[in-house]
Amino acid sequence: MRVLKLCAVTAITACTPVPQHHEPSRAISMENNLPPMRTFASNNVSLPTRPNSELLNDFLDLTFRLESGRNVPLFTRFEGPISVRLTGSPNSLLVSDLRALISRLQSEAGLDIYLTGAPNASITIEAIPQAELQSTARNVACFVVPRISNWAEYKANRRTPQTDWTTLERRDKAAIFVPADVAPQEIRDCLHEELAQALGPLNDLYRLPDSVFNDDNMHSVLTSFDMLMLRTYYAPELRNGMTRGEVAARLPAILARLNPAGERMTGRPLNATTRDWIEQIETALRSQNNAGQRRNAAENALNLSISHRWNDARHGFANFVFGRLQVGRDDELARAAFTAADRAYRASNETRLQTAHVALQLAAFSLSSGNYIETLARADEAIPIAAAHENAALLATLLMFKAEALDHLGRAEEAQSVRMDSLAWARYGFGSEQNVRARLQEVAALDPR
């Protein structure tokens, strides 16, 4: 399931320092009509190839364990052509995004998958109101369940063995529930993660820097790593009912065929993510916990990552979470944590997208302190990364920061052009006109002038 974010990109003023009093931005008052929405052309999200020895362990841990830590006894997948049906209250953008995703799954993962209107589809995607979805699954943006075809059937069978992935011997039917009335990007992100889990891996791993199969929610669309995992899932050497050991015995040959470049690389030592670290991170991310609990949990997770000598994405994420929860309480400590997260993420090419998320936080600090040159530099570096990874919400916000900086550097005409571009992306990333204008105002409000 895709969990709600720690502090959604749609509410940065809850996570960044804001002046107590401010006048409305002149640039905002000049906007009369928003520009047409911009969307991505569904390019492949390519990332560096990793050693096959690492990919083998990733595949096994993604396949034979659930996010809760429970073991999955048998390998399962769909057999034959996979049909996908869309029901509920989908809008036209959801339909086009789903078609683009199906096309990618066909070309990049080699899956025999197609859209259908038939009621007996392999996978049903049902779009329902967000309030109804979260009344049943609190703090969850969307999710997938086996052996179910619709929302009523799910509510009648939730918490029963019928919806338990560990009881499967093969996959014949699954249902994905997504919100129908949120921003287009949020719906698209749900489609990518939940359809991928319906088809393949059931687990999320915090150690993965280059995948949607990670509860850090940094990646929002399927990457080349994810497509390789799905291609491996449907390799002819594997079959339903295999044990972990049987799958492990066949993976070296499968990965050598599918990812020959990975054979020439040396694997890094596998350092398993401890359950206590995961529990501390989950406590810090859980919005219903009080602020003190969340901050303490984030600090514990950070200390654990240091004691384990992690220098990878997990240490970066622990700093990122800790920093977000310190903003407004101890801004110097927050900024130091974001700087540490940036340092950890910059150590690898696999975490370039994560550096763009951190850049947004650091740009907020530089803008609020009136350092427009630094704000511009951070935005300029992160903007192409956000675009390459098809994150319109992140891209739009970075462009808004750039526009504010340009305004105060005396480049008003360029600022207005950048701001209009940001609004076009914001319509996809944030949805309603009210949300778009609110985000623009939030960024402007950070400026001390």
Side-chain angles (χ1 to χ4, degrees), residues 124-145:
T124 299
I125 301 172
E126 186 169 351
I128 62 177
Q130 183 184 43
E132 184 176 353
L133 189 151
Q134 291 187 0
S135 68
T136 302
R138 187 179 178 185
N139 209 40
V140 172
C142 45
F143 60 97
V144 57
V145 289

Side-chain angles (χ1 to χ4, degrees), residues 26-339:
R26 183 174 62 86
I28 296 172
S29 65
M30 290 167 57
E31 308 290 353
N32 294 317
N33 298 304
L34 295 181
M37 179 187 296
R38 293 190 64 179
T39 59
F40 297 100
S42 189
N43 297 316
N44 300 353
V45 180
S46 298
L47 295 165
T49 302
R50 293 196 277 119
N52 284 343
S53 57
E54 286 186 27
L55 299 178
L56 185 150
N57 287 311
D58 292 340
F59 185 89
L60 292 174
D61 287 347
L62 285 169
T63 301
F64 289 96
R65 192 168 297 154
L66 298 180
E67 294 177 52
S68 63
R70 295 171 62 205
N71 289 327
V72 177
L74 301 175
F75 173 83
T76 61
R77 69 182 183 190
F78 289 97
E79 295 294 348
I82 304 165
S83 54
V84 179
R85 178 177 67 138
L86 184 60
T87 66
S89 306
N91 58 40
S92 59
L93 273 174
L94 191 162
V95 175
S96 62
D97 281 340
L98 178 58
R99 289 186 183 279
L101 175 56
I102 294 291
S103 178
R104 284 193 61 197
L105 290 169
Q106 293 167 341
S107 61
E108 296 178 54
L111 300 185
D112 186 1
I113 186 170
Y114 64 96
L115 283 171
T116 182
N120 61 341
S122 309
I123 300 172
T124 299
I125 301 172
E126 186 169 351
I128 62 177
Q130 183 184 43
E132 184 176 353
L133 189 151
Q134 291 187 0
S135 68
T136 302
R138 187 179 178 185
N139 209 40
V140 172
C142 45
F143 60 97
V144 57
V145 289
R147 302 190 182 106
I148 295 294
S149 292
N150 57 64
W151 182 244
E153 190 179 352
Y154 166 71
K155 289 194 293 183
N157 292 278
R158 60 191 299 237
R159 300 194 184 98
T160 69
Q162 183 169 348
T163 58
D164 186 347
W165 289 99
T166 67
T167 65
L168 290 182
E169 295 182 358
R170 57 178 288 142
R171 301 188 199 185
D172 295 305
K173 185 168 60 174
I176 296 169
F177 302 110
V178 301
D181 49 359
V182 297
Q185 177 172 316
E186 186 173 345
I187 301 174
R188 181 210 63 185
D189 294 358
C190 282
L191 289 176
H192 277 246
E193 181 166 347
E194 304 309 329
L195 185 53
Q197 291 203 310
L199 294 165
L202 301 171
N203 195 10
D204 281 334
L205 298 173
Y206 279 106
R207 73 171 184 259
L208 298 180
D210 49 0
S211 173
V212 300
F213 299 120
N214 188 327
D215 274 337
D216 66 3
N217 279 356
M218 293 291 185
H219 285 277
S220 56
V221 298
L222 294 174
T223 67
S224 52
F225 169 90
D226 301 324
M227 292 298 185
L228 178 57
M229 290 293 102
L230 290 172
R231 188 178 285 271
T232 304
Y233 235 83
Y234 287 83
E237 296 93 329
L238 301 182
R239 65 178 184 275
N240 277 302
M242 282 185 167
T243 65
R244 182 182 178 113
E246 290 171 330
V247 171
R250 289 162 176 77
L251 281 178
I254 295 172
L255 291 171
R257 185 181 77 251
L258 298 180
N259 184 42
E263 292 292 289
R264 300 187 292 272
M265 299 178 181
T266 303
R268 295 163 289 193
L270 178 64
N271 192 330
T273 306
T274 59
R275 195 67 212 171
D276 56 348
W277 185 88
I278 293 174
E279 289 171 355
Q280 294 299 319
I281 284 290
E282 289 177 347
T283 299
L285 296 176
R286 198 170 292 123
S287 60
Q288 55 263 44
N289 293 336
N290 66 53
Q293 286 179 308
R294 299 176 71 185
R295 284 194 298 268
N296 288 338
E299 184 173 8
N300 290 339
L302 181 54
N303 289 334
L304 283 170
S305 72
I306 294 171
S307 67
H308 291 314
R309 298 182 179 179
W310 292 339
N311 296 311
D312 55 15
R314 292 168 295 183
H315 183 59
F317 188 57
N319 273 290
F320 185 79
V321 173
F322 181 72
R324 294 289 282 266
L325 293 172
Q326 291 296 332
V327 171
R329 178 178 181 270
D330 188 334
D331 290 342
E332 287 304 312
L333 191 58
R335 188 165 191 168
F338 291 134
T339 301

